[in-house]
Amino acid sequence: MSRSTVEDRARGVRGAARVLAACSGRVRDAALKEVARALEAADRQIESANQVDCARAREANLADPLQRRLSFGPEKRRQALEGLRSVTALPDPVGTVLERRELDQGLLLTRRTTPIGVIAMIFESRPDALIQIASLALKSGNGVILKGGSEALESNRVLARIIHDAAVSAGIPPGWLALIETRQDVGELLRLDGWIDLIIPRGSNDFVRFIMDNTRIPVLGHADGVCHVYLDRSADPAVARAVTVDAKTQYEAVCNAAETLLIHQDELSRLLPDVARALQDQGVALRGCPRTREVLPGIEAASDEDWAAEYLDKILAVRVVDSLQEAVDHINTWGSGHTDAIVTTDEDRARRFIAEVDSASVMWNASTRFADGFRYGLGAEVGVSTTRIHARGPVGVEGLLSSKWILAGAGHIVADYASGVRSFTHRELPLRESSCSGEDDA
Amino acid sequence: MSRSTVEDRARGVRGAARVLAACSGRVRDAALKEVARALEAADRQIESANQVDCARAREANLADPLQRRLSFGPEKRRQALEGLRSVTALPDPVGTVLERRELDQGLLLTRRTTPIGVIAMIFESRPDALIQIASLALKSGNGVILKGGSEALESNRVLARIIHDAAVSAGIPPGWLALIETRQDVGELLRLDGWIDLIIPRGSNDFVRFIMDNTRIPVLGHADGVCHVYLDRSADPAVARAVTVDAKTQYEAVCNAAETLLIHQDELSRLLPDVARALQDQGVALRGCPRTREVLPGIEAASDEDWAAEYLDKILAVRVVDSLQEAVDHINTWGSGHTDAIVTTDEDRARRFIAEVDSASVMWNASTRFADGFRYGLGAEVGVSTTRIHARGPVGVEGLLSSKWILAGAGHIVADYASGVRSFTHRELPLRESSCSGEDDA
């Protein structure tokens, strides 16, 4: 990699991205296949580079989970290739017609999906993330700037070079992918709102929040995942138990795991002892409000800090509420707008909860753990967004797309409409291909 | 208005917006009708308030165009009511099903449009803008914070109070709309990224750029509009003349007016003299590159500053290019990604231009002046966005919407899919109403 500044390199990616944006889906898919071939051919080289990183991590006594994430063994490499091939197999997301309208006779307006432009991805340790985001960027026609964890330096260098070069050999413009390596480079990157359109950070809450707090570039992601399960009046006891246990324990270290259980006061004695026992059987420690502790006297007391906590651990806060309204208010006050569930057999009450809970995903009689791009059937997951702008909730490759308006006429001018000589028809047309596609491989 | 801080008031709008988001379309439309009725009933009061503002502006010797924008006479008031009624008549944009997918038997995923939450609108002088944005916010179920120009203080106070109270009397939660008044309040507003989801600034380029440069809240808008008309090889001379003249002169003081004319070197003698004459007949002053001035020796020389200039005046920069590629590069280098046009009869070349020009709107044989929400048939215009995130180009009421994922099951848990007991079907469903709408007036 050259010693040019991050800004120079971002400008280079922007230039390449403009050419890449006009590449046909056929060229992009051929490039993805070439990337898979090249990664497979360089398997030994990738393994060696990763072993250098892992050896350094051991010497530096890095924490075990970090060492595990860093390790890119044969099974992870196989899975990464499988992921790459499934991204390749997705339908071309670029050039899709979103709107088509006749403005007047011979004046045809089309809105089509386009790549966003330049995406920056900042991630910690895991080398597989590099392959995933690079392939999603290529599939969607975006230039990409990658910053991985410094502990994965050798792995990332090898992977970035192979992916970049393989795509270029298949006709993608050189410079479409850049790797940056130092912490100072990230600081510079966060200031490049003129060259970078979107940042996707992956890592700990603190890491994501740091990125969000230190850039004007739009950030796709989420810091916290304080998810709730609310057991409403007339909840089915078996569903209450199954959904609560799954939401808390199926994998507790992730953003869509439940952190707080809310329960309607009328259902306390009917539901809580059974649900609590099932949770405790799975090793979950409960922390309760005073009314919870009347039913479960043995558990720790919960404080306001617990309502805000993302434990990411086998701990669950439990609170009794007087009404559905109080449950909604608790969630909108203490939650993070990520994913919240209601358990009830009463459809009207479920509707109210769904309408009033201000979160990206709302579940009815289903576990919060379903909130995930793969489970939602998005084909691939770019991230989970808790903002309300651009994309919300689990985000597939569509999150890497923008759109462009294309107006094709025959010398049409606005003066004719201002003077009343002509008037608009504004006739909606079916979304089939227009003759002026602009995204075909002309 | 109370003396609470801007943050207190934004928090109040956020709370009201959560309730408003769950109001049915019927309630929101009834409120819009009540707002129209109340504005009509208070016509004399609005007139008096505006006359106070206008008198102060005259005393303060404000610039004529500003005084004209400030004046809210009978015709403007009639038009504002007409605009309000046309917003009321739009189909309900909230609750539209965007995706519907069976994840497994009995496990139904739906993505529906929702309000974004809290929109802040900062605008200069014109009181009609207040009515327009308040009605768009109400139609789309968003809370709104308004900051108008200080010179329109009395008009804005009266309008905001009438609109707020009329909507509340029709069932909208109190506090859904707040007016802030001072410049210091704007400074505070720009820091409230915890409470405000989107800022829409309307005003001069410098004003919009100031907002963009001083907040982490997403901004929907555009600073510059440096639009181009490119006369390509095989352009029809009549179309070249009509489109260029319209794009430059139909209304030169707006963002979608052309600022630079590019012309293919092969067409110089065939097209330029005629187009130049037509422009000069309309009082346009041309500034040319050296090759342009060989054909039009009488015109001023253009410098790099001219390629970047948004004149908003009867001035047009003219540059000769060697190729379509050079035209595209010029536009992507010097343009603002707003709107650019090609004039050609060659469809393949038009396609290339459309694919490679990185702008929100690209016109083929049509004037740049069409890039506008009303002309595009969007029903109403929230603004024109030159970012690639969330919304791009002319933005209708859809720009005020986000979405929410709703998953309805029967006790489905992720553990069953992780263990292989169950597997996903991921079957796409038609976008008709699901039984769990969450946005109906339950």
Side-chain angles (χ1 to χ4, degrees), chain A residues 101 116 246 347 354-355 357 360 362 364-365 375-376 388 392 402-405 407 409 411 414-415 426 435-436 438, chain B residues 101 116 246 347 354-355 357 360 362 364-365 375-376 388 392 402-405 407 409 411 414-415 426 435 438:
Chain A
R101 190 175 296 127
I116 286 181
D246 192 81
E347 179 165 343
I354 290 166
V357 164
V362 188
W364 175 28
N365 291 339
R375 295 185 192 119
Y376 275 8
R388 294 168 184 82
R392 192 180 191 199
S402 182
S403 65
K404 183 190 269 191
W405 295 95
L407 182 65
V414 165
H426 286 154
S435 67
C436 176
Chain B
R101 190 174 297 127
I116 286 181
D246 191 80
E347 181 166 342
I354 289 166
V357 164
V362 187
W364 176 28
N365 292 339
R375 293 182 195 121
Y376 274 8
R388 294 168 182 82
R392 192 181 192 199
S402 182
S403 65
K404 182 189 271 190
W405 295 95
L407 182 65
V414 165
H426 286 152
S435 66

Side-chain angles (χ1 to χ4, degrees), chain B residues 290-307:
Chain B
R291 282 195 285 176
T292 303
R293 297 176 75 215
E294 284 170 21
V295 181
L296 304 170
I299 69 169
E300 242 182 89
S303 69
D304 274 3
E305 273 169 41
D306 289 288
W307 311 136

Side-chain angles (χ1 to χ4, degrees), chain B residues 380-441:
Chain B
E381 184 174 276
V382 166
V384 176
S385 166
T386 53
T387 70
R388 294 168 182 82
I389 298 299
H390 185 59
R392 192 181 192 199
V395 180
V397 74
E398 289 78 9
L400 303 183
L401 297 175
S402 182
S403 65
K404 182 189 271 190
W405 295 95
I406 300 153
L407 182 65
H412 289 72
I413 59 173
V414 165
D416 285 342
Y417 300 84
S419 68
V421 170
R422 301 193 65 86
S423 59
F424 291 108
T425 54
H426 286 152
R427 193 163 59 91
E428 300 300 316
L429 300 175
L431 302 184
R432 64 173 173 76
E433 290 299 294
S434 73
S435 66
C436 175
S437 74
E439 311 289 344
D440 293 350
D441 38 326

Side-chain angles (χ1 to χ4, degrees), chain A residues 159-194:
Chain A
L159 291 170
R161 187 176 45 69
I162 293 170
I163 294 172
H164 174 270
D165 293 355
V168 169
S169 78
I172 301 299
W176 71 276
L177 177 152
L179 183 70
I180 65 168
E181 299 192 334
T182 69
R183 204 172 271 270
Q184 298 91 292
D185 286 350
V186 173
E188 203 183 325
L189 187 82
L190 297 180
R191 284 190 295 275
L192 298 180
D193 46 312

Side-chain angles (χ1 to χ4, degrees), chain B residues 107-142:
Chain B
L107 188 61
L108 181 69
L109 182 69
T110 310
R111 188 160 69 95
R112 283 178 175 270
T113 57
T114 60
I116 286 181
V118 177
I119 314 285
M121 168 89 178
I122 310 177
F123 53 102
E124 296 178 319
S125 34
R126 307 187 317 146
D128 26 348
L130 190 154
I131 299 177
Q132 197 206 0
I133 196 67
S135 60
L136 285 165
L138 188 50
K139 182 78 192 181
S140 56
N142 286 288

